[in-house]
Amino acid sequence: MKHDNRKVSVLFMLFGILFCVCLITANVLETKQIAFGPVNITGGLIVFPVSYIINDCVCEVWGYGRARMLIWTGFAMNFLFVLFGAMADAIPGAPYWDGDEGFHAIFGLAPRIAAASFVAFLVGSFINAYVMSRMKVSSAGRNFSARAILSTVFGETADSLLFFPLALSGVVPLAEMPSLIISQVVLKTLYEIVVLPVTIRVVRFTKRYEGEDIYDRDIDYNVFKF
Protein backbone atom coordinates (compact mmCIF):
# COMPACT_ATOMS: atom_id res chain seq x y z
CA MET A 1 0.00 0.00 0.00
CA LYS A 2 1.41 3.37 -1.03
CA HIS A 3 1.31 6.13 1.58
CA ASP A 4 0.88 9.81 0.74
CA ASN A 5 3.50 11.55 2.85
CA ARG A 6 2.01 14.93 2.01
CA LYS A 7 -0.99 14.22 4.26
CA VAL A 8 -1.17 13.70 8.00
CA SER A 9 -4.05 12.31 10.03
CA VAL A 10 -5.84 14.06 12.88
CA LEU A 11 -4.29 11.59 15.33
CA PHE A 12 -0.77 12.34 14.07
CA MET A 13 -1.53 16.05 14.37
CA LEU A 14 -2.62 15.55 18.00
CA PHE A 15 0.62 13.66 18.72
CA GLY A 16 2.53 16.56 17.19
CA ILE A 17 0.70 19.16 19.30
CA LEU A 18 1.31 17.18 22.49
CA PHE A 19 4.97 16.73 21.54
CA CYS A 20 5.48 20.48 21.13
CA VAL A 21 3.56 21.29 24.32
CA CYS A 22 5.75 18.87 26.29
CA LEU A 23 8.95 20.42 24.97
CA ILE A 24 7.82 23.97 25.74
CA THR A 25 6.47 23.00 29.17
CA ALA A 26 9.77 21.29 29.99
CA ASN A 27 11.58 24.56 29.27
CA VAL A 28 9.47 26.36 31.87
CA LEU A 29 9.63 23.59 34.46
CA GLU A 30 13.43 23.33 34.11
CA THR A 31 13.66 26.55 36.13
CA LYS A 32 12.57 24.74 39.31
CA GLN A 33 14.97 22.50 41.23
CA ILE A 34 13.43 19.47 42.95
CA ALA A 35 14.88 17.18 45.60
CA PHE A 36 13.98 13.60 44.63
CA GLY A 37 15.24 11.74 47.66
CA PRO A 38 19.03 12.12 47.68
CA VAL A 39 19.02 13.23 44.03
CA ASN A 40 18.49 16.80 42.87
CA ILE A 41 16.59 17.10 39.59
CA THR A 42 14.79 19.79 37.63
CA GLY A 43 11.03 20.09 37.23
CA GLY A 44 11.42 19.37 33.53
CA LEU A 45 11.87 15.70 34.36
CA ILE A 46 8.12 15.53 35.00
CA VAL A 47 7.25 16.12 31.37
CA PHE A 48 10.33 15.89 29.13
CA PRO A 49 10.41 12.06 28.95
CA VAL A 50 6.89 12.20 27.49
CA SER A 51 8.42 13.66 24.33
CA TYR A 52 10.53 10.50 23.95
CA ILE A 53 7.46 8.32 24.48
CA ILE A 54 5.62 10.24 21.74
CA ASN A 55 8.70 9.90 19.53
CA ASP A 56 8.58 6.13 20.10
CA CYS A 57 4.87 5.95 19.25
CA VAL A 58 5.20 8.00 16.05
CA CYS A 59 8.27 6.09 14.85
CA GLU A 60 6.62 2.74 15.62
CA VAL A 61 3.37 3.54 13.79
CA TRP A 62 4.32 5.96 11.00
CA GLY A 63 8.05 5.34 10.63
CA TYR A 64 11.26 7.35 10.86
CA GLY A 65 10.22 9.88 8.21
CA ARG A 66 7.28 11.11 10.24
CA ALA A 67 9.36 11.06 13.44
CA ARG A 68 11.94 13.25 11.67
CA MET A 69 9.19 15.68 10.71
CA LEU A 70 7.93 15.73 14.30
CA ILE A 71 11.39 16.36 15.76
CA TRP A 72 12.08 19.33 13.49
CA THR A 73 8.61 20.74 14.15
CA GLY A 74 9.16 20.45 17.89
CA PHE A 75 12.56 22.12 17.52
CA ALA A 76 11.04 25.03 15.58
CA MET A 77 8.20 25.56 18.06
CA ASN A 78 10.56 25.37 21.02
CA PHE A 79 12.91 27.85 19.34
CA LEU A 80 10.04 30.29 18.76
CA PHE A 81 8.97 29.98 22.39
CA VAL A 82 12.48 30.71 23.65
CA LEU A 83 12.89 33.57 21.14
CA PHE A 84 9.61 35.28 22.08
CA GLY A 85 10.31 34.75 25.77
CA ALA A 86 13.75 36.37 25.40
CA MET A 87 12.22 39.31 23.52
CA ALA A 88 9.60 39.89 26.21
CA ASP A 89 12.26 39.56 28.91
CA ALA A 90 14.43 42.18 27.20
CA ILE A 91 11.63 44.77 27.04
CA PRO A 92 11.60 46.95 30.17
CA GLY A 93 8.66 46.30 32.46
CA ALA A 94 6.02 48.86 33.38
CA PRO A 95 6.95 51.17 36.30
CA TYR A 96 4.24 49.67 38.52
CA TRP A 97 5.15 46.03 37.77
CA ASP A 98 7.38 44.26 40.26
CA GLY A 99 7.57 40.80 38.66
CA ASP A 100 10.78 41.35 36.66
CA GLU A 101 12.90 39.01 38.75
CA GLY A 102 10.46 36.09 38.59
CA PHE A 103 9.77 36.62 34.88
CA HIS A 104 13.50 36.69 34.10
CA ALA A 105 14.05 33.49 36.10
CA ILE A 106 11.60 31.68 33.80
CA PHE A 107 12.05 33.32 30.41
CA GLY A 108 15.55 34.78 30.61
CA LEU A 109 17.18 31.57 29.42
CA ALA A 110 20.91 32.08 29.00
CA PRO A 111 22.05 31.69 25.37
CA ARG A 112 24.53 29.00 26.40
CA ILE A 113 21.82 26.91 28.10
CA ALA A 114 19.38 27.44 25.23
CA ALA A 115 21.97 26.36 22.65
CA ALA A 116 22.93 23.30 24.72
CA SER A 117 19.27 22.38 25.09
CA PHE A 118 18.59 22.63 21.35
CA VAL A 119 21.67 20.59 20.35
CA ALA A 120 21.03 17.91 22.98
CA PHE A 121 17.35 17.64 22.03
CA LEU A 122 18.06 17.19 18.32
CA VAL A 123 20.82 14.61 18.78
CA GLY A 124 18.98 12.65 21.48
CA SER A 125 15.66 12.64 19.62
CA PHE A 126 17.15 11.51 16.31
CA ILE A 127 19.16 8.74 18.00
CA ASN A 128 15.99 7.61 19.77
CA ALA A 129 14.06 7.49 16.47
CA TYR A 130 16.92 5.77 14.62
CA VAL A 131 17.26 3.01 17.24
CA MET A 132 13.48 2.45 17.25
CA SER A 133 13.41 2.25 13.46
CA ARG A 134 16.38 -0.09 13.02
CA MET A 135 15.34 -2.41 15.84
CA LYS A 136 11.81 -2.72 14.45
CA VAL A 137 13.12 -3.83 11.07
CA SER A 138 15.71 -6.22 12.52
CA SER A 139 13.20 -7.80 14.91
CA ALA A 140 10.40 -7.98 12.32
CA GLY A 141 8.18 -5.88 14.55
CA ARG A 142 8.58 -7.96 17.69
CA ASN A 143 9.65 -6.84 21.17
CA PHE A 144 8.24 -3.31 21.18
CA SER A 145 9.01 -2.99 24.91
CA ALA A 146 12.71 -3.64 24.34
CA ARG A 147 12.79 -1.14 21.47
CA ALA A 148 11.07 1.56 23.51
CA ILE A 149 13.38 1.14 26.51
CA LEU A 150 16.67 0.78 24.61
CA SER A 151 15.92 3.70 22.30
CA THR A 152 15.25 5.85 25.37
CA VAL A 153 18.51 4.73 26.99
CA PHE A 154 20.52 5.66 23.87
CA GLY A 155 18.62 8.89 23.24
CA GLU A 156 18.60 10.14 26.82
CA THR A 157 22.26 9.22 27.28
CA ALA A 158 23.25 11.25 24.22
CA ASP A 159 21.00 14.11 25.37
CA SER A 160 22.52 14.21 28.87
CA LEU A 161 26.12 13.72 27.67
CA LEU A 162 25.73 16.80 25.49
CA PHE A 163 23.50 19.04 27.60
CA PHE A 164 25.18 19.02 30.99
CA PRO A 165 28.80 19.60 29.86
CA LEU A 166 27.73 22.24 27.31
CA ALA A 167 25.32 24.05 29.63
CA LEU A 168 26.86 23.62 33.08
CA SER A 169 30.60 23.16 32.57
CA GLY A 170 32.30 25.62 34.91
CA VAL A 171 29.12 25.94 36.98
CA VAL A 172 28.76 22.37 38.26
CA PRO A 173 32.01 20.83 39.61
CA LEU A 174 33.54 18.38 37.15
CA ALA A 175 33.52 15.62 39.75
CA GLU A 176 29.73 15.96 40.10
CA MET A 177 29.01 15.81 36.37
CA PRO A 178 29.04 11.99 35.91
CA SER A 179 26.58 11.40 38.76
CA LEU A 180 24.32 14.15 37.43
CA ILE A 181 24.30 12.63 33.95
CA ILE A 182 23.78 9.07 35.18
CA SER A 183 20.95 10.04 37.54
CA GLN A 184 19.11 11.85 34.74
CA VAL A 185 19.42 8.90 32.35
CA VAL A 186 18.36 6.37 35.01
CA LEU A 187 15.35 8.40 36.18
CA LYS A 188 14.13 9.11 32.64
CA THR A 189 14.50 5.44 31.69
CA LEU A 190 12.59 4.39 34.81
CA TYR A 191 9.90 6.86 33.79
CA GLU A 192 9.67 5.12 30.41
CA ILE A 193 9.42 1.68 32.09
CA VAL A 194 6.70 2.79 34.52
CA VAL A 195 4.46 4.19 31.76
CA LEU A 196 5.31 1.41 29.27
CA PRO A 197 1.95 -0.39 29.71
CA VAL A 198 0.18 2.84 28.71
CA THR A 199 2.56 3.36 25.78
CA ILE A 200 1.88 -0.16 24.49
CA ARG A 201 -1.88 0.39 24.60
CA VAL A 202 -1.58 3.74 22.85
CA VAL A 203 0.55 2.21 20.07
CA ARG A 204 -1.86 -0.70 19.59
CA PHE A 205 -4.87 1.62 19.45
CA THR A 206 -3.11 3.97 17.01
CA LYS A 207 -2.12 1.14 14.67
CA ARG A 208 -5.70 -0.15 14.59
CA TYR A 209 -7.23 3.30 14.22
CA GLU A 210 -4.83 4.49 11.53
CA GLY A 211 -4.36 1.16 9.75
CA GLU A 212 -0.63 1.92 9.71
CA ASP A 213 2.41 -0.09 10.79
CA ILE A 214 5.41 1.20 8.82
CA TYR A 215 8.72 -0.66 8.46
CA ASP A 216 11.64 1.55 7.40
CA ARG A 217 13.26 -0.87 4.96
CA ASP A 218 14.14 1.73 2.31
CA ILE A 219 14.31 4.90 4.38
CA ASP A 220 16.94 7.62 4.05
CA TYR A 221 18.12 8.40 7.60
CA ASN A 222 19.52 11.79 6.65
CA VAL A 223 18.18 14.05 9.41
CA PHE A 224 18.02 17.03 7.04
CA LYS A 225 15.82 15.35 4.46
CA PHE A 226 12.17 16.38 4.56
Side-chain angles (χ1 to χ4, degrees):
M1 179 172 144
K2 186 173 181 177
H3 302 280
D4 188 348
N5 288 324
R6 295 170 297 177
K7 297 180 180 179
V8 296
S9 68
V10 172
L11 198 53
F12 178 82
M13 182 182 70
L14 292 175
F15 272 114
I17 292 170
L18 181 59
F19 185 76
C20 294
V21 168
C22 287
L23 294 178
I24 291 170
T25 304
N27 261 353
V28 177
L29 298 185
E30 287 287 348
T31 59
K32 181 170 183 177
Q33 303 294 311
I34 299 173
F36 189 77
V39 181
N40 294 324
I41 61 174
T42 62
L45 186 63
I46 297 172
V47 67
F48 186 73
V50 178
S51 66
Y52 274 76
I53 295 169
I54 297 171
N55 190 338
D56 289 346
C57 293
V58 169
C59 194
E60 174 70 16
V61 177
W62 290 284
Y64 178 85
R66 288 290 174 85
R68 176 172 52 202
M69 173 184 173
L70 189 71
I71 292 166
W72 281 115
T73 301
F75 174 83
M77 297 303 102
N78 204 14
F79 179 81
L80 283 176
F81 171 78
V82 171
L83 178 63
F84 290 143
M87 290 170 61
D89 184 54
I91 299 172
Y96 57 83
W97 191 61
D98 60 358
D100 262 326
E101 185 177 347
F103 190 90
H104 179 73
I106 296 174
F107 294 101
L109 198 61
R112 176 185 175 185
I113 294 177
S117 176
F118 289 142
V119 170
F121 162 72
L122 284 176
V123 174
S125 296
F126 276 117
I127 287 176
N128 181 82
Y130 177 81
V131 172
M132 276 291 296
S133 174
R134 297 307 303 159
M135 287 188 69
K136 181 176 182 179
V137 173
S138 64
S139 67
R142 296 185 296 273
N143 303 319
F144 171 77
S145 298
R147 295 199 299 277
I149 294 170
L150 285 174
S151 64
T152 296
V153 171
F154 282 105
E156 292 288 7
T157 299
D159 184 293
S160 298
L161 282 172
L162 285 169
F163 176 75
F164 288 106
L166 289 175
L168 302 177
S169 180
V171 177
V172 174
L174 188 61
E176 297 294 325
M177 198 72 74
S179 63
L180 188 60
I181 292 171
I182 292 170
S183 65
Q184 290 287 313
V185 173
V186 169
L187 288 174
K188 289 176 180 179
T189 303
L190 287 175
Y191 192 129
E192 170 93 36
I193 294 171
V194 169
V195 302
L196 188 57
V198 177
T199 306
I200 291 171
R201 285 170 173 79
V202 170
V203 167
R204 286 175 179 170
F205 168 80
T206 306
K207 285 181 177 180
R208 288 198 305 268
Y209 184 85
E210 292 288 302
E212 299 267 25
D213 190 6
I214 302 299
Y215 287 78
D216 294 318
R217 293 190 175 92
D218 299 309
I219 191 73
D220 183 349
Y221 285 102
N222 181 357
V223 300
F224 297 108
K225 183 175 181 179
F226 295 94

